[in-house]
Amino acid sequence: MKPDAPHSTDTLTTWLDYWGHVHVTGIDLGLERVIPVAEKLGVMQPKAKVFTVAGTNGKGSTTTALAAILNAQGYNVGLYQSPHIYRFNERVKLAGLEVDDQSLVDAFVMVDQARRECGLSLSFFEATTLAAFVIFKLKQCDVWVLEVGLGGRLDVVNVIDPDIAVITNIGLDHVDWLGDTIEKIAYEKAGIIRPHIPVIFAGQQQLPKAIQHKVNETQSQLYALNRDYFYQLNDDGQTWSFASSGTTLKLPTGQLALDNISTAVAAVLASGVDISQEAIVSGIQQARLQGRFEIRHIQDKTVIFDAGHNPHGVEFLLNQLRKFLKYNKQYTDVVAVFSMLADKDISSVTDLLKTTVKDWFIATLDVPRAAPMQQLKQALQGQQVHEFGNIQQAFETVLNKCNNNQLILVCGSFHTLEAVWEYLEECQ
């Protein structure tokens, strides 16, 4: 039995719970149900410049850097990302600020009315994404920066035709949905490409044939990393250089991964929007994102939060970590507060991390798909492992036990990070 629709006076929590029960499944790839509702809402052809970002890892950091640079130039930017980590409002930002509850509720009312008039149900992700588009339309954003949720071709974000398509990289993740080879996954990501638009490919690997085929088919303009644009960290560790045809820039490193910042810079420059070097510098310095190599200082200890949850994401994390340790030699070793979901490639992730992590503080997550303790322990055989009843206890112990020369890494899943943030909120 379908739940009754909430009202405009109901809370955001009530609406989110409602969207979680309207459709038979949380993920339902395909645009057949979404397009009629999007047309009724009038969001299909925004009067805005649209940047759409797909990829296996790095989408969140890339979209954050893109929006920060464009905001610094003075554009009215709507930023859509997923998933959120602590509050749903993190998914929708206007001029760099999370949207308020009532704006989301008002948009949900409109989405629900439109889908009822179409006689269609929407998944949680579809409904909430359309609500973000409604908000951007109502607020007359002149730039939309959109992060694809899953894949690309059949993701609800793809109902909007982008002016610039960005593919950060291709790795094996969500294989049940997207396919079990790099080429199959690349085909899905390439679905965001449209005719005659700039396409940024930022993967370190060889360009997949599926992307090249789509570029040829659409006669779009491809800008590939290490072929059409380049970046390099400078010897001082504080600046880096960006180079493309006719452009050379020296820029600050910022807080996000350089791989993703450089992708954002390449996308902005290829898009043709009016942008100054001052805005690029300012945007890089202001860009922050929870859970992506996020460095915090807690009780005089240095803690890095990273949500990498597949081998590709963890390789990315380790590259950043090695660079950080190179320029911060006071840290003698790394300890990890760690847990993962059972359906992820835990063995590959832990094999990568074992090269750097000395001590492991582990617990089972309090979510349905959590990896049981036995599965975590099996992947960490031969390592120095400490077991706890929950992640909060693990983190509290690490914080009290570690000295200032030990770097604390919280990783393995968004849920691992969320558990620690909840603990920190309670302690305030």
Side-chain angles (χ1 to χ4, degrees):
M1 190 171 129
K2 295 287 195 300
D4 292 331
H7 302 284
S8 60
T9 53
D10 283 313
T11 65
L12 175 59
T13 303
T14 302
W15 272 98
L16 294 175
D17 182 64
Y18 168 71
W19 288 122
H21 292 89
V22 166
H23 197 58
V24 290
T25 179
I27 298 174
D28 192 357
L29 292 178
L31 305 180
E32 300 84 6
R33 287 171 300 99
V34 178
I35 287 173
V37 184
E39 285 175 339
K40 188 163 280 292
L41 290 166
V43 297
M44 292 277 285
Q45 295 171 311
K47 296 174 181 174
K49 197 85 163 178
V50 179
F51 292 75
T52 296
V53 180
T56 303
N57 296 293
K59 299 187 296 289
S61 296
T62 301
T63 49
T64 295
L66 263 172
I69 291 167
L70 293 160
N71 279 321
Q73 185 66 38
Y75 291 106
N76 180 16
V77 180
L79 170 61
Y80 175 68
Q81 298 172 302
S82 68
H84 64 278
I85 292 180
Y86 201 64
R87 289 175 305 281
F88 180 85
N89 310 57
E90 295 166 23
R91 296 184 181 217
V92 185
K93 294 189 179 77
L94 299 167
L97 301 175
E98 292 175 16
V99 73
D100 62 280
D101 285 10
Q102 192 58 51
S103 293
L104 283 164
V105 167
D106 291 343
F108 285 149
V109 170
M110 294 173 67
V111 172
D112 195 52
Q113 183 179 342
R115 69 128 192 131
R116 285 174 182 273
E117 288 175 9
C118 293
L120 296 165
S121 70
L122 296 173
S123 70
F124 178 91
F125 187 72
E126 290 164 349
T128 53
T129 303
L130 289 177
F133 298 165
V134 167
I135 291 169
F136 297 161
K137 180 188 174 187
L138 292 174
K139 299 295 183 182
Q140 298 182 320
C141 294
D142 44 31
V143 178
W144 295 16
V145 178
L146 309 178
E147 178 185 338
V148 169
L150 183 61
R153 183 175 65 93
L154 300 176
D155 187 90
V156 57
V157 166
N158 205 33
V159 302
I160 307 292
D161 289 333
D163 298 291
I164 302 93
V166 180
I167 300 174
T168 58
N169 53 59
I170 311 290
L172 290 173
D173 199 16
H174 302 295
V175 292
D176 291 345
W177 296 100
L178 304 178
D180 57 2
T181 69
I182 292 293
E183 282 297 336
K184 287 177 184 175
I185 294 173
Y187 172 77
E188 296 299 329
K189 309 289 185 192
I192 68 169
I193 297 172
R194 298 296 193 275
H196 311 294
I197 67 169
V199 177
I200 309 298
F201 178 67
Q204 295 282 355
Q205 76 263 59
Q206 186 177 353
L207 179 71
K209 292 185 178 70
I211 293 176
Q212 185 65 64
H213 177 76
K214 188 69 174 180
V215 165
N216 295 344
E217 180 188 300
T218 55
Q219 297 182 315
S220 47
Q221 301 90 47
L222 178 66
Y223 299 88
L225 175 63
N226 297 328
R227 190 193 76 176
D228 305 295
Y229 73 95
F230 306 84
Y231 71 90
Q232 182 178 325
L233 183 68
N234 295 329
D235 289 341
D236 60 10
Q238 303 300 310
T239 61
W240 62 285
S241 298
F242 177 93
S244 63
S245 177
T247 305
T248 304
L249 301 172
K250 186 177 180 181
L251 299 165
T253 51
Q255 293 292 311
L256 300 177
L258 194 52
D259 307 54
N260 301 323
I261 294 174
S262 65
T263 306
V265 172
V268 167
L269 294 175
S271 71
V273 298
D274 185 28
I275 204 84
S276 66
Q277 185 169 346
E278 289 75 22
I280 294 173
V281 168
S282 177
I284 289 170
Q285 290 171 331
Q286 292 173 39
R288 300 281 188 282
L289 184 62
Q290 284 187 307
R292 275 75 166 197
F293 207 77
E294 179 191 359
I295 302 169
R296 287 206 208 177
H297 299 285
I298 303 166
Q299 294 181 20
D300 296 325
K301 312 287 169 60
T302 302
V303 183
I304 294 176
F305 294 88
D306 195 280
H309 53 270
N310 54 42
H312 196 282
V314 171
E315 283 177 2
F316 197 72
L317 156 63
L318 287 171
N319 284 335
Q320 294 169 267
L321 188 56
R322 288 176 191 124
K323 288 173 190 171
F324 179 83
L325 293 171
K326 179 182 176 183
Y327 292 102
N328 296 273
K329 296 188 186 298
Q330 69 270 32
Y331 299 107
T332 54
D333 51 59
V334 178
V335 300
V337 176
F338 177 81
S339 194
M340 289 185 69
L341 297 177
D343 55 2
K344 296 297 179 183
D345 188 354
I346 298 175
S347 294
S348 294
V349 165
T350 52
D351 284 348
L352 287 165
L353 288 168
K354 284 173 187 175
T355 60
T356 305
V357 174
K358 179 185 176 185
D359 256 357
W360 300 79
F361 294 72
I362 67 172
T364 299
L365 295 167
D366 187 21
V367 295
R369 290 159 54 209
M373 183 63 77
Q374 191 56 39
Q375 190 179 0
L376 296 172
K377 284 166 61 179
Q378 190 171 348
L380 290 168
Q381 268 185 330
Q383 298 291 293
Q384 203 159 299
V385 175
H386 313 270
E387 299 174 41
F388 295 87
N390 57 52
I391 288 294
Q392 289 90 339
Q393 290 172 6
F395 182 74
E396 184 178 24
T397 303
V398 168
L399 211 53
N400 293 330
K401 188 176 177 180
C402 282
N403 61 52
N404 293 356
N405 292 327
Q406 291 178 297
L407 186 64
I408 302 169
L409 175 63
V410 180
C411 64
S413 171
F414 280 108
H415 300 288
T416 311
L417 276 57
E418 187 176 24
V420 173
W421 281 322
E422 284 176 359
Y423 165 79
L424 293 172
E425 283 275 314
E426 290 163 9
C427 291
Q428 284 181 357

